[in-house]
Amino acid sequence: MSTSAADFRISSDKVLRFIRSLTRKKPLEPEGEESNFCRCLTTLDLVGLGVGSTLGAGVYVLSGEVARDVAGPSIIISFLIAAVASVFAGLCYAEFGARVPKTGSAYLYSYVTVGEVWAFVAGWNLLLSYVIGTSSVAKAWTGTFDDLIDNVIAKTLEKQTPMDSPGLAPYPDFFAACLIMLLAVNVAVLVFIVISGFIEGDIQNWRISKETILNATREMENLTLAQNETVDLGVGGFFPFGFDGTLAGAATCFYAFVGFDCIATTGEEVKNPQKAIPLGIVVSLLVCFLAYFGVSAALTLLMPYYLLDTHSPLPVAFEYIGWEPAKYAVAVGSLCALSTRVLFAMARDGLLFKPLRYLSSRQNPVFATLSSGAVAAFMVLLFDLKALVDLSSIGTIFAYTLVAVCVLILRYKEDSGFVHRAEEFTVMGLLRPPLRPTHRTSKNVNMVTIIILFLVIILSLVLSETVHSLRKRELWSALLVFFLVLTLVLAVVIIWRQPQSTAKAAFMVPCLPVVPVLSVFMNIYLMVQLGGETWISYAVWMAVGLIIYFGYGVRHSVQKQRLRESRAQLNITNVNRNVVDSAA
C-alpha cells in the first residue's frame, strides 16, 4: 500500500513538474543569447515597413469580396470597426515594443509574461497570419492578372484540374504559387483609385432600392439556374445585409490590418526601439485605415455592390464606368511581405526546428524565409481567398488578444525589488489593496483577468446568438446581457483598484485596464463572427502546432537548458559551501 502511494506521489510530482515547465518564462536578457542583427532602422523605415506589410489583398480584392457578399456599402463601417480593434491591439503592441525591444513580436511578449506554451501558441498563430498574408496577396494578384487576359487561366484550370470542396479554390492556382516572391506595391495607385472614385462615383449606389435588388436577384438566379446556386444580394441601401453583415465584414476586414505587428519583430534592428516602434505602429495603422476607407468607399460608389467582381473588383469597376485603360494601372498595385522574424525567433529558442534559425552572411534568416514561402505557395495553390483571409484573421486576432492580456499582467506585476511574503486572499484585499504591488495583488489581477476572458467569451456568444431577441426587446435577453456587462464592469473596476508596477517605459497603454479589456472584447467578438469552416481549419492548424511543440519544442527548449544549467551551477555552489563549512 505504501509502495503504491509512493509511486502515485512520484507520478504526481512528474506531472506537476511538466505543467510548470509549460509556463517557464524567458528573461528579457538571457545569458548567452546575442543579437546578430544590425541596428539601422529609423521611425520612417518602420512606418514604411508597416504600411508596406499591411496594404495588400485587403485593399485590392478583399474589399470587393466583402462588399458584394457580406456588408455592401457599409464595408466602410466594417473597416472602421476593424481599424478601432487594430488600434487597441496596436497600443498594446506599442507598449511591449517599448519594454521588450527584441525580435519575436507577440511570441516574445507572451514568453516573458505568461510562459512558454502560450508563447508557442502566439507564435504559431502569427506564422499562420504571415503565411496566409503572402498566399492571399498572391491570390489577389493572379485574379487581377487573369482579368487582363480575359480569365484564360481560370477557364483553363477549372476545366483541366477542377476542385469542388468547401473552402478550397475551384482549381489549383499554379500561377499564384509562382508569384509568391515577385509582388510589389505602388501607393500612387491607391491615391488614383480614391480620387477616381470620388470624381466618377454615384451616391445612388449607396441607396439602391429593394425593387432593383429583387430584379437583379431574379436575373442572377436565371443565370445560375443550371448550377443550382442560391443568390443572396441583400435588401439594398447602405446596410443591405443588416448590421450583422457589417460586423461579419469587420471580422474578415480585420485581416486587412494584419502586418503592422511586423514592426514589433524588428526590435533588434531599430536604432531607438523604445520610441520608434510605438510611433511606427500608430502611424502605419492610421495610413492603412485611410487607404482602406478611401478605396472601399470609392469602389462602392463607382459600381453597385451586387455587381462587384469578387476576384478582381477594382479593374472591373473601372471597366464599368468606361475607364478601361485605368484597369491596367490598377493591376500593378499589389503587395507581398514575408515576415519570417517570428519563425527565426521560435527556432532560436528551440521551439521549432534548428535549421530555421540559420542566418546568412547578410544576416537574413534563409531557411525560415524559404520554409514560410513554401507553405504559402502550397496554401495558395488549394484554398480560395475568403477561406485564407478568415483563417488568417482568426489566428491574428488570437495573438492580439494574448498581447492585450499580457499587458494587463505585466502592468500589475509585483516590483522586482519587493520582498515576497505570504498573504492570504480576502475580499477586502480586492477592494482595498496596498499602495504597492505585491505577489498577492499580482495574483488577484491574474485571477480576475481569467474571469474577464470567460465573461467576454460568454458575452460575445450571447450577443451573437440573441441579436434578434435584443432587437425585439425581449426581457430575458436584455437581462442576460445586462447581468454579463455589469459583472464585466465590476471585474474591470477590481483590476483598476489594484496598484500598478512602478516600472516605466517610453510608451505605456493609456486608460488601463479599460483599453486592454476593450481590445480583448472586440477581438473575441470578431472571432465569434467567423464561420464554422474557419474554426475547423484553425483547429487543424493548432493541432499540427501543438504536435510539433509537445513532440519537439518541449524537449529542445533553450530556456529549459538554461534553467537546468543554472540549477546545476547552484547545486555545485552549495556543495562547495558545505565543504568549506565542514573544513572550518
Side-chain angles (χ1 to χ4, degrees):
M1 188 73 179
S2 59
T3 305
S4 60
D7 291 340
F8 176 76
R9 206 160 37 242
I10 292 170
S11 300
S12 300
D13 289 341
K14 287 182 178 178
V15 171
L16 287 173
R17 279 199 301 271
F18 178 73
I19 293 173
R20 288 195 197 100
S21 72
L22 300 182
T23 58
R24 54 183 167 236
K25 300 178 180 65
K26 182 179 180 179
L28 288 181
E29 298 292 341
E31 294 181 12
E33 181 177 293
E34 297 180 1
S35 174
N36 295 316
F37 295 106
C38 174
R39 292 197 178 275
C40 56
L41 300 180
T42 64
T43 304
L44 188 60
D45 294 328
L46 294 186
V47 172
L49 177 64
V51 173
S53 298
T54 306
L55 286 178
V59 72
Y60 287 102
V61 168
L62 184 59
S63 51
E65 179 120 4
V66 175
R68 177 188 165 97
D69 299 328
V70 183
S74 68
I75 184 176
I76 62 174
I77 307 298
S78 298
F79 273 120
L80 177 61
I81 294 170
V84 171
S86 297
V87 166
F88 285 144
L91 291 173
C92 297
Y93 259 89
E95 173 164 340
F96 266 111
R99 289 181 182 273
V100 192
K102 291 273 188 176
T103 290
S105 186
Y107 160 71
L108 179 60
Y109 304 161
S110 303
Y111 211 157
V112 301
T113 308
V114 290
E116 187 172 280
V117 67
W118 291 110
F120 182 90
V121 169
W124 193 246
N125 277 275
L126 287 177
L127 289 178
L128 175 66
S129 67
Y130 292 153
V131 167
I132 288 181
T134 305
S135 304
S136 55
V137 176
K139 188 69 103 175
W141 217 99
T142 194
T144 302
F145 178 80
D146 200 20
D147 179 73
L148 298 179
I149 58 174
D150 198 28
N151 296 308
V152 171
I153 296 175
K155 291 173 183 176
T156 304
L157 291 176
E158 276 186 347
K159 183 178 180 180
Q160 300 297 328
T161 55
M163 297 191 302
D164 187 17
S165 182
L168 293 184
Y171 55 86
D173 201 338
F174 297 104
F175 183 72
C178 295
L179 281 172
I180 286 295
M181 303 290 185
L182 305 176
L183 305 175
V185 68
N186 188 347
V187 177
V189 173
L190 299 180
V191 177
F192 168 73
I193 292 168
V194 174
I195 294 174
S196 303
F198 285 103
I199 291 174
E200 287 294 313
D202 184 0
I203 195 66
Q204 294 305 317
N205 286 331
W206 286 5
R207 301 170 182 168
I208 299 171
S209 65
K210 289 185 179 180
E211 291 75 16
T212 304
I213 295 297
L214 286 173
N215 294 333
T217 302
R218 291 192 194 99
E219 290 178 12
M220 290 190 179
E221 283 178 345
N222 292 333
L223 291 172
T224 59
L225 191 62
Q227 299 173 347
N228 198 24
E229 294 180 3
T230 57
V231 177
D232 181 16
L233 302 180
V235 296
F238 189 72
F239 294 95
F241 300 96
F243 196 65
D244 294 349
T246 304
L247 290 173
T252 302
C253 288
F254 195 93
Y255 159 79
F257 293 93
V258 172
F260 77 84
D261 52 308
C262 75
I263 294 175
T265 69
T266 61
E268 295 178 42
E269 301 164 78
V270 184
K271 290 180 180 177
N272 187 2
Q274 282 80 6
K275 291 184 179 180
I277 289 178
L279 191 59
I281 288 174
V282 173
V283 174
S284 61
L285 275 176
L286 178 61
V287 171
C288 292
F289 167 68
L290 292 175
Y292 290 133
F293 187 90
V295 170
S296 57
L299 184 63
T300 51
L301 285 170
L302 285 171
M303 190 176 185
Y305 71 90
Y306 60 86
L307 294 178
L308 290 172
D309 186 88
T310 56
H311 299 292
S312 183
L314 288 167
V316 171
F318 279 104
E319 197 171 355
Y320 178 81
I321 63 170
W323 286 20
E324 188 161 342
K327 78 176 189 179
Y328 295 97
V330 172
V332 303
S334 252
L335 159 95
C336 174
L338 272 179
S339 297
T340 54
R341 290 295 190 264
V342 172
L343 194 61
F344 165 79
M346 294 175 74
R348 184 174 63 182
D349 288 332
L351 304 187
L352 286 179
F353 308 110
K354 190 175 180 180
L356 296 174
R357 68 184 183 182
Y358 171 75
L359 287 175
S360 70
S361 58
R362 296 186 178 183
Q363 307 305 310
N364 290 316
V366 178
F367 289 126
T369 302
L370 294 176
S371 300
S372 59
V375 175
F378 173 76
M379 297 185 82
V380 76
L381 189 69
L382 299 179
F383 293 95
D384 66 23
L385 180 65
K386 184 69 163 57
L388 288 172
V389 166
D390 285 348
L391 190 56
S392 175
S393 292
I394 200 170
T396 308
I397 291 171
F398 185 92
Y400 290 177
T401 302
L402 199 53
V403 169
V405 170
C406 289
V407 166
L408 277 177
I409 293 173
L410 191 66
R411 287 283 287 273
Y412 291 95
K413 191 177 181 181
E414 63 181 307
D415 292 333
S416 56
F418 194 77
V419 179
H420 170 68
R421 58 186 178 85
E423 297 175 274
E424 292 184 1
F425 171 80
T426 61
V427 176
M428 288 303 296
L430 283 176
L431 302 176
R432 298 181 64 182
L435 297 177
R436 288 189 61 184
T438 64
H439 182 71
R440 179 73 264 169
T441 62
S442 178
K443 203 170 182 179
N444 288 343
V445 170
N446 294 349
M447 290 190 301
V448 177
T449 300
I450 293 172
I451 293 171
I452 285 175
L453 286 173
F454 280 109
L455 285 172
V456 167
I457 292 171
I458 295 169
L459 180 59
S460 298
L461 290 171
V462 168
L463 286 174
S464 181
E465 296 299 325
T466 64
V467 63
H468 298 295
S469 300
L470 290 169
R471 283 177 183 166
K472 295 177 182 177
R473 299 180 182 178
E474 294 181 8
L475 183 61
W476 70 270
S477 58
L479 285 175
L480 180 58
V481 171
F482 176 76
F483 172 76
L484 289 171
V485 171
L486 186 64
T487 309
L488 182 60
V489 170
L490 178 62
V492 172
V493 169
I494 288 174
I495 291 184
W496 173 69
R497 291 283 302 160
Q498 308 308 305
Q500 294 186 30
S501 172
T502 56
K504 301 297 180 184
F507 176 85
M508 299 173 72
V509 175
C511 303
L512 212 73
V514 176
V515 168
V517 172
L518 278 177
S519 178
V520 169
F521 172 71
M522 294 191 74
N523 292 344
I524 292 178
Y525 188 75
L526 291 177
M527 289 175 75
V528 169
Q529 303 302 311
L530 296 169
E533 290 178 3
T534 304
W535 281 96
I536 292 171
S537 301
Y538 178 68
V540 171
W541 174 264
M542 287 307 303
V544 171
L546 291 175
I547 289 171
I548 292 174
Y549 174 69
F550 288 108
Y552 179 89
V554 167
R555 292 183 290 109
H556 293 84
S557 170
V558 173
Q559 185 59 24
K560 175 185 177 181
Q561 296 170 12
R562 287 196 192 103
L563 292 173
R564 184 179 294 168
E565 289 171 2
S566 64
R567 278 197 296 267
Q569 188 65 38
L570 183 63
N571 291 335
I572 292 171
T573 303
N574 290 335
V575 169
N576 290 338
R577 186 181 294 123
N578 292 334
V579 170
V580 171
D581 291 342
S582 300

